[in-house]
């Protein structure tokens, strides 16, 4: 997993709890990387899960909620850092539909070692989109945070229903995204 993800998780935690509290949490974690992350490095996803769990305990926030917040945080960072992907998208659904065949394709070209999920999308009549997440990593809450932030970014918050299952050792989650009428 890209170092930028770790650096941003730590920035978010510092924003929520302050640098000293985050340093203490990092010291208390038994991480093979030693808890030092750079944006150009790559680190195992298991370290991300360890950090989320440790911040969840220290911030007294459920791990799923923390992943969701982190998804929202990353979406804001990406929207800021990669405006080119957003400029020709008029609404949240066109943005979400472009992740699999455009955005993450470009990410893979830039960073062949990136670990990305796959998505399938399908329109369900007016105002609803089904988006199926499939990954070797259990980042469904992170993903939902990104989707929610995306719908809010376009000024159309949505109600999201999620169904999860495992398939061939993958984590699969179907998101039914309904824009508020
Ligand atoms: C709402 C839109 C988006 C969704 C739902 C989404 C979803 C995800 C998810 C769930 C992951 C975690 C990996 C996994 O679960 O297997 C991920 C990773 C990533 N995404 Fe996206 N993404 C979105 C937009 C973007 C944008 C705009 C960029 C900008 C370039 C981007 C770049 C990346 C990068 C760099 C990673 C990390 C890969 C790694 O750590 O190896 N994503 N994305």
């Amino acid at each position: 997993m890209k170092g930028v993800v770790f650096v941003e998780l730590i920035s978010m935690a510092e924003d929520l709890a302050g640098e000293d509290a985050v340093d203490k949490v990092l010291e208390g974690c038994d991480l093979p990387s030693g808890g030092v992350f750079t944006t150009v490095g790559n680190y195992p996803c298991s370290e991300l899960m360890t950090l989320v769990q440790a911040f969840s305990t220290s911030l007294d926030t459920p791990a799923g909620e923390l992943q969701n917040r982190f998804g929202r945080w990353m979406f804001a960072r990406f929207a800021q850092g990669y405006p080119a992907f957003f400029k020709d998208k008029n609404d949240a659904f066109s943005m979400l539909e472009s992740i699999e065949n455009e955005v993450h394709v470009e990410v893979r070209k830039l960073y062949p070692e990136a670990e990305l999920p796959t998505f399938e999308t399908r329109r369900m009549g007016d105002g609803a989109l089904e988006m199926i997440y499939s990954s070797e990593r259990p980042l469904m809450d992170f993903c939902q945070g990104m989707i929610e932030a995306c719908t809010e970014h376009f000024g159309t918050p949505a109600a999201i229903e999620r169904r999860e299952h495992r398939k061939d050792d993958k984590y699969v989650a179907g998101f039914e995204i309904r824009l508020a009428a």
Side-chain angles (χ1 to χ4, degrees):
M1 180 147 262
K2 304 290 307 161
V4 64
V5 178
F6 292 81
V7 169
E8 288 297 341
L9 177 65
I10 290 168
S11 289
M12 183 186 81
E14 285 175 350
D15 202 55
L16 293 171
E19 273 184 41
D20 292 347
V22 168
D23 284 347
K24 276 209 191 82
V25 172
L26 290 174
E27 280 161 25
C29 287
D30 188 15
L31 297 168
S33 66
V36 180
F37 303 100
T38 69
T39 51
V40 291
N42 287 289
Y43 309 91
C45 186
S46 55
E47 293 203 23
L48 189 80
M49 302 319 277
T50 304
L51 284 177
V52 167
Q53 198 47 58
F55 289 138
S56 154
T57 308
S58 74
L59 292 164
D60 199 20
T61 305
E65 196 179 315
L66 208 66
Q67 262 201 40
N68 181 293
R69 276 184 170 211
F70 183 46
R72 290 165 164 274
W73 174 280
M74 278 312 285
F75 181 86
R77 280 285 189 268
F78 286 148
Q80 213 177 32
Y82 301 86
F85 290 128
F86 289 80
K87 96 174 175 308
D88 60 339
K89 309 296 182 311
N90 296 322
D91 54 57
F93 287 176
S94 1
M95 185 69 214
L96 291 170
E97 284 168 335
S98 75
I99 301 303
E100 176 68 14
N101 293 319
E102 184 186 336
V103 178
H104 282 175
V105 172
E106 294 304 317
V107 172
R108 246 182 227 110
K109 281 189 207 157
L110 286 170
Y111 313 106
E113 72 287 6
E115 295 180 304
L116 295 162
T118 58
F119 289 109
E120 276 169 50
T121 51
R122 181 171 67 93
R123 297 268 180 160
M124 301 168 73
D126 267 358
L129 177 79
E130 181 185 44
M131 188 164 188
I132 302 173
Y133 163 95
S134 170
S135 173
E136 273 137 52
R137 293 155 293 283
L139 297 174
M140 292 73 79
D141 287 303
F142 172 81
C143 187
Q144 183 159 344
M146 289 201 96
I147 295 172
E148 286 169 358
C150 182
T151 62
E152 286 158 21
H153 174 91
F154 286 94
T156 51
I160 298 179
E161 263 186 53
R162 171 166 131 197
R163 279 185 208 88
E164 279 178 27
H165 53 276
R166 293 290 310 256
K167 194 178 165 205
D168 306 329
D169 289 335
K170 292 219 160 138
Y171 296 90
V172 179
F175 295 96
E176 201 176 297
I177 309 159
R178 256 171 224 287
L179 300 183

